[in-house]
């Protein structure tokens, strides 16, 4: 039986409604109105002669028939996307819209420049970049690729590639060290003003190497607690105390002499950074070109050298 264009539109609308959980969010993804989505679903149900969604004033959920139909639709759409990806791969020209989500400071300083270069190389590729320190739901929010710092959720819905291992250093401004002296060990930090990273009343521990060589967690008794890396750098430069900063953030200030490393043998790798994308979507050329570029960029031994 031949499919009409309208039926394909209904399938796309139905899949988006199930994944988004509402007509409004599905319409936003499809760039159509809420009413247009509702009309497409109603027409699809009429053609199939079955109710696909349970509708209440507060929620939408697939019926048992709708869930089976959704799974079949996802498989079919995945095959279509794979075929399209194969054609695109043969052309080797990334194109279309790519939605990327990155951490705020790390994304702006370290990831965005890579994306800017890709944008210049591929004029047929439209890149939309969102900057978030919250962990977004890629599937629910329609994100094609995200850069995540720290541990990954053990989600079967996401594929991942390691792109970078963040190194961090204990730093202070020369003005602070002249006034308060230089700590000789991690234990000495208890006698110094410490700038900590924290949110919701919780200060994040540092990953440090102690005098006996073992690496462990150190919870600073911070006199100044900030919830973002760049203000922490500003506070360190202002001589407010000693801080644990990633080298990608502190490198320029260390090179210029505005900051000095303290306990330099404590430089450690403390956070792993991954590129992640929905596993239900094949690694399309537009995603692959970004992942490959990020791996190449962060593989350089000098890009964040402190």
């Amino acid at each position: 039986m031949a499919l009409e264009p309208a039926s394909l539109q209904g399938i796309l609308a139905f899949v988006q409604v199930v994944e988004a959980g509402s007509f409004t969010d599905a319409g936003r993804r499809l760039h159509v109105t809420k009413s247009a989505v509702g009309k497409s679903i109603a027409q699809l149900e009429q053609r199939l002669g079955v109710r696909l969604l349970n509708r209440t004033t507060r929620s939408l959920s697939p019926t048992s028939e709708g869930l089976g139909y959704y799974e079949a639709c996802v498989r079919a759409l995945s095959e279509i996307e794979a075929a399209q990806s194969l054609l695109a791969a043969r052309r080797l020209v990334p194109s279309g819209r790519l939605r990327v989500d990155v951490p705020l400071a790390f994304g702006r300083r370290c990831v965005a420049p890579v994306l800017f270069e890709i944008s210049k190389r591929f004029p047929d590729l439209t890149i939309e970049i969102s900057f978030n320190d919250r962990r977004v739901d890629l599937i629910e929010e329609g994100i094609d690729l995200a850069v995540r710092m720290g541990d990954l959720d053990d989600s079967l819905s996401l594929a991942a590639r390691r792109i970078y291992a963040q190194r961090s250093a204990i730093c202070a401004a020369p003005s602070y060290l002249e006034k308060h002296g230089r700590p000789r060990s991690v234990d000495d930090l208890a006698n110094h003003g410490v700038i900590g990273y924290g949110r919701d009343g919780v200060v994040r521990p540092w990953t440090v190497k102690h005098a006996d060589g073992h690496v462990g967690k150190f919870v600073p008794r911070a006199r100044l607690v900030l919830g973002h890396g760049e203000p922490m750098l500003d506070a360190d430069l202002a001589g407010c105390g000693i801080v644990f900063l990633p080298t990608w953030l502190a490198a320029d200030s260390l090179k210029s002499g505005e900051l000095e490393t303290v306990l330099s043998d404590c430089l450690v790798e403390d956070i792993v950074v991954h590129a992640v994308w929905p596993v239900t979507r094949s690694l399309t050329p537009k995603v692959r070109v970004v992942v490959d570029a990020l791996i190449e960029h962060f593989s350089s031994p000098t890009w964040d050298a402190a």
Side-chain angles (χ1 to χ4, degrees), residues 43-301:
Q43 290 174 342
L44 180 61
E45 289 179 325
Q46 184 178 9
R47 284 194 303 272
L48 295 173
V50 67
R51 183 161 56 89
L52 298 173
L53 296 170
N54 290 315
R55 301 168 175 82
T56 69
T57 56
R58 295 185 177 180
S59 66
L60 286 174
S61 62
T63 64
S64 58
E65 294 86 354
L67 183 59
Y69 188 65
Y70 164 75
E71 293 172 349
C73 288
V74 168
R75 289 194 296 270
L77 291 173
S78 178
E79 290 294 329
I80 292 172
E81 185 173 4
Q84 292 174 335
S85 299
L86 180 60
L87 293 175
R90 288 173 178 170
R91 293 184 306 161
L92 298 177
V93 180
S95 61
R97 185 178 70 148
L98 179 69
R99 299 190 63 198
V100 183
D101 186 81
V102 298
L104 190 55
F106 182 78
R108 184 178 71 83
R109 286 175 173 258
C110 305
V111 180
V114 179
L115 298 177
F116 297 158
E117 290 301 316
I118 291 173
S119 179
K120 289 189 291 185
R121 286 169 52 199
F122 302 105
D124 292 332
L125 181 62
T126 299
I127 304 177
E128 297 180 8
I129 312 172
S130 56
F131 297 83
N132 278 298
D133 281 338
R134 68 180 177 88
R135 185 155 289 197
V136 303
D137 186 315
L138 273 67
I139 296 175
E140 182 177 338
E141 300 185 38
I143 302 298
D144 299 300
L145 178 70
V147 173
R148 288 190 170 169
M149 307 185 74
D151 295 335
L152 293 177
D153 300 328
D154 293 328
S155 173
L156 298 178
S157 64
L158 297 179
R161 285 286 302 275
R162 172 174 166 150
I163 60 173
Y164 173 57
Q166 173 182 284
R167 299 179 304 146
S168 292
I170 301 173
C171 310
S175 60
Y176 174 88
L177 297 174
E178 289 173 6
K179 184 175 181 179
H180 299 282
R182 182 182 294 271
R184 297 177 179 274
S185 69
V186 173
D187 293 336
D188 282 350
L189 292 174
N191 301 316
H192 284 267
V194 171
I195 302 166
Y197 175 86
R199 290 186 177 179
D200 301 322
V202 178
V203 177
R204 178 181 293 174
W206 299 357
T207 303
V208 299
K209 185 182 294 184
H210 292 267
D212 61 3
H214 84 274
V215 175
K217 296 295 183 181
F218 168 76
V219 180
R221 291 188 294 178
R223 297 178 187 173
L224 181 61
V225 180
L226 299 168
H228 195 277
E230 290 184 323
M232 291 174 66
L233 173 62
D234 294 338
D236 202 23
L237 291 170
C240 293
I242 297 175
V243 70
F244 186 64
L245 287 177
T247 54
W248 58 262
L249 183 58
D252 289 343
S253 298
L254 290 169
K255 290 174 184 176
S256 68
E258 294 176 286
L259 292 181
E260 297 179 12
T261 56
V262 178
L263 307 173
S264 58
D265 60 334
C266 291
L267 192 69
V268 293
E269 292 185 354
D270 61 319
I271 293 178
V272 176
V273 184
H274 290 87
V276 299
W277 62 92
V279 73
T280 54
R281 303 173 191 174
S282 56
L283 191 57
T284 59
K286 63 185 180 182
V287 173
R288 183 182 297 278
V289 73
V290 174
V291 174
D292 289 347
L294 290 173
I295 292 173
E296 180 180 2
H297 174 73
F298 289 115
S299 294
S300 169

